[in-house]
Amino acid sequence: MSVSLSRYLVEQQRERGAITPELRLLLEVVARACKGISHSVNKGALGGVLGSAGSENVQGEVQKKLDLIANEVLIEANEWGGHLAAMASEEMETIHLIPNRYPQGEYLLLFDPLDGSSNIDVNVSIGTIFSVLKKPEGGAGVSEADFLQPGTQQVAAGYCVYGPQTTFVLTVGDGVSMFTLDREQGSFVLTQENVRIPKDTKEFAINMSNMRHWDSPVKRYIDECLMGSEGPRGKDFNMRWIASMVADVHRILTRGGVFLYPWDKREPGKPGKLRLMYEANPMSWLVEQAGGAATNGRERILNIQPKTLHERVSVVLGSKNEVDLVTKYHLGS
Ligand code: AHG
Ligand code: MN
Ligand code: MN
């Protein structure tokens, strides 16, 4: 008998006490929004959704049409349910308050509406990443400061990958589960529970074109992987780089591996490329919940106290023994 996401969530609430009814509604709504985004992604050129929107976001990146469509779908789906206090997105400079005409809830939702934008027009896997926090107790209204909580405070996190299959991946702190979209039924069906990342791997993911800009611990780690069975690692490594974090993390949750988007010398003032609150935190929690690890090269990502909504971070995540080795190289230098 197949288990739908709805049933899974009801059981998480009723039998395991892992989520509240409001959080269950929130997750249902996010999954429904992802279904809508999946539909637009699938239409591609037929839906007129490809190409640039002709605008830039707060990080100075050119916005694609689908970045904005996905952002709108998530906002519209989540505004009226009464479960949210506010939302924040890669594509919006400041937080999005719930309009006065709707009731307000106690949760805060953060998202990267469309991850892997450079892959949209070339028909390669892309995704949506989300993180859920609780609004701190006390204080009327909601402000950006309410969002600035370390990743350890997340109450739910996940992503949806729009690839050959559309897969919704979720943690509420009780392991990682995967749900595949059944287009005939129109619902997500549980296809893997208790996802585990092997501790060791022979596969790394990094954008090698940045090699000359890397810091020495990263260079050392990758050099040693490249030396293969004749080098200090004593085994041959394979490499993958999809340039959609969702797709790279999905591979790592499925068969292991290590993913690095480290700080580099191109923009030394920035801690990295990826955003802490709606890319690194949700992915780090998923990876930890599956037995892997996630650091910025020096400390656990989930322990970082965010200072701003769009702050960036250096990311090393995946199979535990590899992440530990990269972290050791950083701390030793
Ligand atoms: P986004 O499309 O949300 O801006 O994120 C893209 C990110 C991430 O998904 C991916 O791992 C990385 O950028 C790829 O960067 P490079 O093009 O520098 O390899
Ligand atoms: Mn992204
Ligand atoms: Mn994005």
Side-chain angles (χ1 to χ4, degrees), residues 237-249:
F237 279 78
N238 187 21
M239 193 198 91
R240 287 286 184 275
W241 184 252
I242 302 174
S244 293
M245 189 194 202
V246 262
D248 279 311
V249 169

Side-chain angles (χ1 to χ4, degrees), residues 64-176:
K64 296 285 176 73
K65 284 184 196 163
L66 260 178
D67 288 322
L68 300 183
I69 292 168
N71 196 55
E72 273 310 301
V73 169
L74 281 157
I75 288 174
E76 278 173 19
N78 280 286
E79 256 182 357
W80 47 270
H83 50 283
L84 285 184
M87 293 177 246
S89 161
E90 179 190 355
E91 306 304 340
M92 301 187 293
E93 183 167 2
T94 53
I95 62 170
H96 180 89
L97 299 174
I98 302 301
N100 282 335
R101 61 185 182 278
Y102 301 124
Q104 294 214 359
E106 55 181 350
Y107 291 101
L108 305 172
L109 174 65
L110 298 104
F111 44 83
D112 174 355
L114 210 293
D115 175 67
S117 301
S118 74
N119 283 324
I120 297 171
D121 296 349
V122 292
N123 200 0
V124 171
S125 294
I126 49 183
T128 297
I129 311 174
F130 66 93
S131 164
V132 185
L133 297 164
K134 245 180 142 173
K135 184 172 108 77
E137 308 257 316
V142 55
S143 69
E144 197 169 305
D146 293 328
F147 282 79
L148 305 181
Q149 306 178 38
T152 48
Q153 296 301 109
Q154 293 172 104
V155 293
Y159 63 81
C160 189
V161 57
Y162 314 112
Q165 303 110 42
T166 288
T167 309
F168 188 80
V169 179
L170 174 70
T171 186
V172 292
D174 186 28
V176 176

